[in-house]
Amino acid sequence: MTKTTTLSSEFSLDQKGLTAARKSLDDGAITPAYGPHRNAIIKLLNDSLATELVCVLRYKRHHFMASGLSSPKIAEEFLVHANEESAHADRIARRIVQLGGEPDFSPGTLLERSHADYDDSNDLKTMVRVNLIAERVAIETYHQMIQLIGDKDTTTRRMLEDILADEEEHADELKDWLED
């Protein structure tokens, strides 16, 4: 039995899409509404996954290598940021799987897929600066991804908007440290 849902001629649901949603149960949450964009979105997400993983590694290194008078506080914040970036990576990987893709954790290609750079500096001010640059790159990347995805995948868009808010908070904190 199919139920027809019509609000007006302008607002009527696509009955073909609803019928198709009743089939292909192996696709889980992936319905015809995802259209031809799913693979492109998975590619964007895998590149963001690489970026988040590189950021985790950079922040972890900086956490352990930070030294100087203000280093204990900043080193602790680097660890907090590393853990938050790791949580972002987990969310992105989970979403890739939900979309029917495979998250790419390959260490051999992380840097070439990442939008952010790795950094092995030992100077505290340089560490803060390169992390601020990486956060700004992430902010720009997520803004562009959100625009590209638009209404093609609202679940992914909302996830990216949440991550973007965290990245903006990180950038504000890092900017404040540069001024100290």
Side-chain angles (χ1 to χ4, degrees):
M1 173 200 282
T2 52
K3 189 186 333 179
T4 304
T5 307
T6 305
L7 303 173
S8 75
S9 60
E10 297 169 14
F11 293 101
S12 59
L13 298 178
D14 175 12
Q15 294 303 311
K16 289 179 187 174
L18 295 175
T19 300
R22 292 179 170 82
K23 301 174 183 170
S24 303
L25 299 180
D26 290 342
D27 290 343
I30 306 306
T31 65
Y34 283 89
H37 308 289
R38 185 170 53 99
N39 289 335
I41 291 170
I42 290 169
K43 164 77 169 88
L44 286 172
L45 290 174
N46 262 315
D47 290 350
S48 288
L49 175 61
T51 301
E52 295 292 348
L53 293 171
V54 167
C55 289
V56 168
L57 296 171
R58 187 187 59 254
Y59 272 125
K60 285 278 201 168
R61 183 184 196 288
H62 290 173
H63 165 73
F64 289 108
M65 295 303 296
S67 63
L69 292 177
S70 57
S71 68
K73 181 181 175 192
I74 293 175
E76 189 57 38
E77 247 347 274
F78 285 160
L79 183 59
V80 168
H81 287 204
N83 290 336
E84 290 174 353
E85 303 296 355
S86 181
H88 295 163
D90 290 349
R91 287 183 72 187
I92 292 168
R94 194 172 303 113
R95 184 64 186 151
I96 291 168
V97 171
Q98 287 173 340
L99 290 171
E102 295 183 11
D104 187 350
F105 285 90
S106 173
T109 61
L110 278 181
L111 282 174
E112 65 192 53
R113 292 183 294 117
S114 173
H115 303 113
D117 296 324
Y118 182 77
D119 175 74
D120 59 2
S121 62
N122 291 322
D123 173 68
L124 190 60
K125 195 152 191 105
T126 302
M127 290 178 193
V128 172
R129 183 175 171 69
V130 297
N131 282 310
L132 177 54
I133 291 168
E135 294 293 354
R136 289 175 50 81
V137 168
I139 289 166
E140 181 61 24
T141 299
Y142 285 124
H143 270 290
Q144 289 184 26
M145 287 177 66
I146 289 164
Q147 292 301 311
L148 286 170
I149 291 171
D151 63 356
K152 296 171 187 76
D153 179 352
T154 54
T155 302
T156 298
R157 186 188 71 228
R158 283 192 313 267
M159 177 193 71
L160 295 175
E161 289 168 346
D162 287 346
I163 292 171
L164 172 61
D166 289 344
E167 305 296 8
E168 289 173 341
E169 183 178 314
H170 293 171
D172 283 343
E173 291 171 353
L174 292 162
K175 181 185 102 18
D176 290 346
W177 294 337
L178 277 180
E179 294 171 358
D180 289 345

